Amino acid sequence: MEEAAAAPDIAADVRRERIVSMVMEHEFVRVTDLAELFRVTSVTIRADLELLDKQRAIRRVRGGAIPVKPARAVEPSFEVSLGSAAVEKTRLARHAAGLVVNGESVIIDAGTTTTFLARALVARADLTDVVVFTNSLRVAVELEPAIPRISVLVTGGTLRPVTHALVDPLGAPMLERIHADTLFLSCHGVHLKSGVTGVNLLEAEMKRRMINASRRHIVLADSSKLGRTGLAPVCALSEADLLITGREADPEFVAALYEQGPPVDLVE
């Protein structure tokens, strides 16, 4: 597993959820890497792994942990997705936060990378008079410490528990009444032919409404989402003004995007 910048302090139960998702993603994680990532001691990580092994969430091995069984092919919970590719998502979020300027109106879609974006916006103490619209309860809560520098408006609608997103019915009225400067859009996949897709039809419809309610459309997609197609179409690549992804992205796919897709910010 690649070494990464340290993550902010988090609760033990959340840390363990992220450890499980990282084990499933990388197939093997080292104690030393986890200790550096979560800013805790190796002793703490070993205790986490022992507990998770007893719970049969992972299998403890010398130096680290491996999966106890293959991951199920179902939509993961928000909490599990939050830990998946967490280091890369944090880099993308910080880069995206750097594109926001004072006085801007922003729509932030529900998603894990956009949750990291909310944290990155809070960390930007220089930002003032920013208005954020979101259909994500998690994004709204993450932004709360930045009020009143950042005004937070939640769309309303029906709660979809697996992603903490608000969708139709009643999710659209606010979006139909605004013209925001920038949309930060999350996704399940980015494909050269299928475009940007989601995994749920109701959330995809909300994403379409967000696109219609904004002038600039920025897609946030960690490298694992490139080349992947989800059930629910969101938009063609031509409707995106910028794609932000990580240096881990497949070079051939990125080259193809440069030729026929939107501009790409490859975040180091």
Side-chain angles (χ1 to χ4, degrees), residues 54-72:
K54 289 179 181 179
Q55 295 173 345
R56 299 190 61 79
I58 55 94
R59 181 183 171 192
R60 179 78 165 92
V61 296
R62 182 177 176 83
I66 61 175
V68 69
K69 58 184 178 180
R72 294 178 298 166

Side-chain angles (χ1 to χ4, degrees), residues 164-219:
H164 310 310
L166 297 169
V167 297
D168 284 333
L170 302 180
M174 178 183 291
L175 295 173
E176 294 172 347
R177 300 174 62 182
I178 65 172
H179 300 282
D181 296 313
T182 302
L183 163 65
F184 290 102
L185 187 69
S186 65
C187 65
H188 174 77
V190 176
H191 191 274
L192 294 174
K193 292 183 179 179
S194 304
V196 179
T197 55
V199 73
N200 178 267
L201 293 170
L202 289 174
E203 288 198 30
E205 179 59 29
M206 284 294 288
K207 295 175 192 291
R208 285 294 320 166
R209 296 181 188 278
M210 291 176 182
I211 290 170
N212 293 334
S214 54
R215 177 180 56 83
R216 181 174 64 157
H217 312 133
I218 299 177
V219 178

Side-chain angles (χ1 to χ4, degrees), residues 226 247-258 266:
L226 303 184
R247 62 169 183 259
E248 298 87 347
D250 175 40
E252 292 186 4
F253 189 89
V254 173
L257 280 175
Y258 279 130
L266 201 62

Side-chain angles (χ1 to χ4, degrees), residues 190-193 195-196 235-241 243 257 260-262:
V190 176
H191 191 274
L192 294 174
K193 292 183 179 179
V196 179
C235 68
L237 287 178
S238 59
E239 295 182 74
D241 297 295
L243 171 68
L257 280 175
Q260 66 182 69

Side-chain angles (χ1 to χ4, degrees), residues 3 8 30 33 35-36 40 46 116 163 183 194-195 229 243 258:
E3 294 185 3
R30 293 190 295 266
D33 288 339
E36 180 180 356
V40 296
R46 290 190 186 96
F116 285 112
T163 55
L183 163 65
S194 304
T229 300
L243 171 68
Y258 279 130

Side-chain angles (χ1 to χ4, degrees), residues 16-151:
R16 290 167 190 148
E17 286 180 352
R18 296 188 187 179
I19 288 173
V20 172
S21 66
M22 293 176 73
V23 170
M24 298 304 295
E25 178 182 3
H26 296 285
E27 297 186 353
F28 173 73
V29 294
R30 293 190 295 266
V31 169
T32 52
D33 288 339
L34 292 173
E36 180 180 356
L37 174 63
F38 292 110
R39 289 182 179 172
V40 296
T41 66
S42 295
V43 172
T44 298
I45 293 298
R46 290 190 186 96
D48 286 342
L49 297 184
E50 293 292 344
L51 176 61
L52 292 170
D53 182 85
K54 289 179 181 179
Q55 295 173 345
R56 299 190 61 79
I58 55 94
R59 181 183 171 192
R60 179 78 165 92
V61 296
R62 182 177 176 83
I66 61 175
V68 69
K69 58 184 178 180
R72 294 178 298 166
V74 297
E75 182 180 9
S77 71
F78 181 92
E79 285 70 25
V80 169
S81 296
L82 192 68
S84 178
V87 174
E88 181 183 359
K89 290 176 181 180
T90 299
R91 296 202 320 267
L92 305 189
R94 289 172 179 167
H95 180 82
L99 302 178
V100 178
V101 299
N102 291 340
E104 190 170 5
S105 57
V106 175
I107 302 176
I108 299 181
D109 185 18
T112 53
T113 307
T114 50
T115 297
F116 285 112
L117 169 60
R119 295 176 185 176
L121 289 173
V122 171
R124 279 197 56 191
D126 61 307
L127 277 181
T128 59
D129 299 321
V130 174
V131 179
V132 173
F133 301 87
T134 185
N135 71 323
S136 168
L137 297 184
R138 286 297 299 265
V139 166
V141 170
E142 292 287 349
L143 289 171
E144 189 173 357
I147 296 172
R149 294 188 299 108
I150 298 176
S151 299

